[in-house]
Amino acid sequence: MPETIFRLCVVVGLLLSGSPLAFAATPDPWPGLVQDIFNNRPMNDGSDVIAIEMPARAEDAAIVPVTLRTKLPASDGRQVLSITLVIDQNPAPMAAKFQLGPDAKVPEISTRVRVNNYTDVHAVAELSDGQLYMAKTYVKASGGCSAPAAKNADEAKARLGQMRYRQFAKAGEGPATGVREAQIMIGHPNNSGLQMDQVTHLYVPAFFINELRLWQDDSLVLTMEGGISISEDPNIRFTYVSNGAKSFRAEAKDTEGRVFQREWKIDDSGI
């Protein structure tokens, strides 16, 4: 009995002192996520394949910017087929999976995510050689998944499914000019299921964009499989290689089965 009491006193002392030893037993979720999300496939060092950029400390945990950038040189015969974004400590860790169009050669994707706890964030690229390549960063943020929505329910409903499209081509560039940059914004509350209604004090059911597809004419640019970690009013900015298309098209679906579609002239920007 005295020995047991001594051990309990040691543990309490470590917790009160803030010693790292007190948290040494906290398991790293990443090995389990590799099994659950990637079927335990081997992970290669992706430092020369994929980069992930996020602020070390988030200003707002509900809208944390993240940029995924491929690093393969032009001389490399391999192609990036998909990029999966995993926020290890989030309730639903797989934030998004981007499938890249075979001819669009998308080198960069940026979006905004919720981060619920201090966490590692992984980017996993699948290449045409059949291998997975991983890079990671660490973000200090908390409470992003349960943060109240920025818009009230009526405002969110009025904006539901509205899409905006922007091109960032330089003056004088035409649709057939090399690498282009574009942005798609979708009006949607993207409720995480962990937010509480400030009036009823009941949890708001999860309700979010779970599929997005983008085309230039009929050629696929990219697709996104999204989850609760994508921020309110999803915002995807990306670069791609133009095929000379005259139009840009977007289709999004949400978890209640709604389908939102829009098409724009390639050099237009607007709603």
Side-chain angles (χ1 to χ4, degrees):
M1 181 67 70
E3 183 178 353
T4 301
I5 294 174
F6 173 76
R7 288 178 179 173
L8 288 172
C9 289
V10 169
V11 171
V12 172
L14 288 171
L15 289 169
L16 292 175
S17 68
S19 168
L21 294 175
F23 305 96
T26 302
D28 178 5
W30 179 241
L33 296 174
V34 171
Q35 179 175 344
D36 294 343
I37 299 174
F38 303 100
N39 296 317
N40 225 19
R41 293 170 61 187
M43 290 284 166
N44 300 290
D45 176 17
S47 57
D48 58 350
V49 174
I50 184 78
I52 178 171
E53 298 176 5
M54 299 179 74
R57 184 181 293 276
E59 293 184 10
D60 185 338
I63 47 171
V64 184
V66 54
T67 295
L68 307 168
R69 183 176 294 111
T70 63
K71 300 174 68 176
L72 289 179
S75 58
D76 195 313
R78 298 173 298 174
Q79 186 175 358
V80 178
L81 303 180
S82 70
I83 304 172
T84 303
L85 176 65
V86 181
I87 306 174
D88 295 19
Q89 297 287 351
N90 271 14
M94 196 185 88
K97 181 174 182 179
F98 298 95
Q99 298 276 1
L100 309 185
D103 301 318
K105 297 180 173 60
V106 175
E108 185 173 313
I109 303 170
S110 297
T111 188
R112 305 177 305 188
V113 296
R114 300 178 170 117
V115 178
N116 213 48
N117 294 293
Y118 285 29
T119 185
D120 284 327
V121 181
H122 288 83
V124 178
E126 180 168 11
L127 267 59
S128 53
D129 62 5
Q131 299 294 309
L132 299 179
Y133 298 85
M134 180 270 290
K136 71 175 182 178
T137 189
Y138 188 77
V139 178
K140 295 180 179 180
S142 61
C145 292
S146 58
K151 298 176 177 64
N152 63 40
D154 290 338
E155 185 180 358
K157 184 177 180 179
R159 290 168 49 84
L160 188 68
Q162 288 187 4
M163 291 189 188
R164 298 183 64 192
Y165 158 81
R166 296 180 64 192
Q167 275 277 351
F168 296 90
K170 297 177 182 178
E173 284 186 342
T177 303
V179 176
R180 304 290 294 270
E181 185 175 7
Q183 181 179 33
I184 293 290
M185 296 157 280
I186 307 169
H188 203 285
N190 256 40
N191 297 327
S192 68
L194 300 173
Q195 299 151 306
M196 184 176 290
D197 187 293
Q198 301 302 300
V199 177
T200 65
H201 299 289
L202 299 174
Y203 284 101
V204 179
F207 174 45
F208 55 89
I209 296 291
N210 58 355
E211 293 181 36
L212 174 67
R213 290 179 171 83
L214 306 175
W215 296 266
Q216 49 176 333
D217 283 347
D218 292 322
S219 179
L220 186 68
V221 175
L222 63 84
T223 71
M224 183 191 76
E225 176 187 348
I228 67 171
S229 297
I230 298 296
S231 299
E232 180 179 358
D233 294 335
N235 184 325
I236 313 294
R237 185 164 173 164
F238 53 95
T239 53
Y240 68 100
V241 175
S242 172
N243 63 0
K246 303 298 182 183
S247 66
F248 203 91
R249 182 160 50 97
E251 178 182 280
K253 298 180 181 180
D254 68 21
T255 51
E256 291 190 357
R258 292 178 175 86
V259 178
F260 312 106
Q261 297 174 318
R262 286 298 310 270
E263 185 170 344
W264 304 266
K265 293 181 179 178
I266 199 73
D267 286 319
D268 284 351
S269 290
I271 297 176

